[in-house]
Amino acid sequence: MKLSHTQVDTVYLGQHKVYVKRDDLLHPEFSGNKARKFAYFLDNDFPLVKQLIGYGSPQANSLYSLSALAKLKGWRLDFYVDHLPHYLTANPCGNYRAAQALGANIIDLSRRADRDGLDCDSYIRQRVLTGSDEQLFVPEGGRCAFAEPGVAQLAKEIASWKYAEGLTELVVFLPSGTGTTALYLQKQFLTLDPSISVMTCAVVGGDDYLRKQFLELEEDEALHPQIVPAAKRYHFGKLYLEYYQMWHELKSTGIEFELLYDPLGWLCLKRCWQQGFSKPVLYLHQGGLLGNHSMLPRYQRKYGAIFGE
Ligand SMILES: *Cc1c(COP(=O)(O)O)cnc(C)c1O
């Protein structure tokens, strides 16, 4: 199972040279930044644990990765979702379907009589966690300190690659959800190699939300990554023509990117270039390609005609 030491490719977008760290080439069931964030759970023994508990979107990459983790470890996965959309239960696809195939127990909180208006996090903390050592709870998207060792390994790989390339400075660019990956990378580089810095953009919930997420993991703002603002406010999971155009443009790199995070990541990077940014960039490919199975048909239905699809 390949869980570290991914290659770095050199691609061009227009006249701009970009290095791409191919974490999409980690193991297919345990890929991208979720493999990095959950590496701690794979690398360590948890002899008492029987039940893994998580929550998030029924389409989330983390649902699939947690399912794979539970299966490998022989644990049961209880994954709570706020509600299950009908289109998904009628036509299971993408991460949802793959997680089911791995045996995940996906629980629709909107059908629970004892919900009492609680969100997933509060419901789990108040109604599910018993304090027993048999339970292991992972907050949404792996936003917790357990994610740090796996991301530290990623930082080491990037720092030694940069050294081997003889680069004097480097910016690592990645789009953020919870910001866990970006934050722990930035922290690592401050000690490993301060000539490497992290730039990111907020794909979920806007710049202020991302700053809050950073603060929950690290109080010292001097250790936070730089947030590149988007040209306008985009809503997570919604379809945008600019996103689909960007995704098509990325085909010229010969690498497939995903449709939730990467389009905004590259749009923001392009904006930086337009504003004169010229440092060497390594874009972190964080996987998530299974999600394209559900996103691509939606995009094709909405905008396919524009692209002759
Ligand atoms: C989960 C995920 C992200 C967001 O990662 P965070 O550490 O939560 O910021 C970005 N891209 C892909 C493909 C993901 O699966």
Side-chain angles (χ1 to χ4, degrees), residues 31-34 37 61-62 140-141 174-182 210 258 261-262 285-289:
S31 116
N33 74 349
K34 303 306 177 293
K37 293 204 279 187
N61 296 324
S62 58
E140 184 166 25
L174 67 157
S176 280
T178 64
T180 310
T181 313
L210 183 56
E258 55 83 73
Y261 295 91
D262 286 325
H285 194 320
Q286 302 183 91
L289 295 176

Side-chain angles (χ1 to χ4, degrees), residues 241 244-246 248 303-309:
L241 181 57
Y244 201 37
Q245 262 163 345
M246 188 65 239
H248 275 284
Y303 297 121
I306 300 171
F307 298 91
E309 288 163 349

Side-chain angles (χ1 to χ4, degrees), residues 50-120:
K50 295 193 170 132
Q51 183 193 16
L52 182 62
I53 299 161
Y55 68 94
S57 152
Q59 296 275 34
N61 296 324
S62 58
L63 163 58
Y64 180 55
S65 304
L66 286 176
S67 310
L69 174 67
K71 185 153 191 214
L72 282 162
K73 290 283 196 177
W75 300 334
R76 181 176 108 187
L77 172 65
D78 285 343
F79 192 89
Y80 290 80
V81 303
D82 184 69
H83 68 281
L84 270 176
H86 176 71
Y87 73 85
L88 197 57
T89 45
N91 294 296
C93 61
N95 289 314
Y96 175 76
R97 179 174 164 180
Q100 276 189 324
L102 287 171
N105 181 29
I106 300 164
I107 300 157
D108 181 349
L109 214 51
S110 68
R111 291 171 172 271
R112 283 280 162 110
D114 63 346
R115 176 169 189 173
D116 298 333
L118 296 172
D119 62 20
C120 287

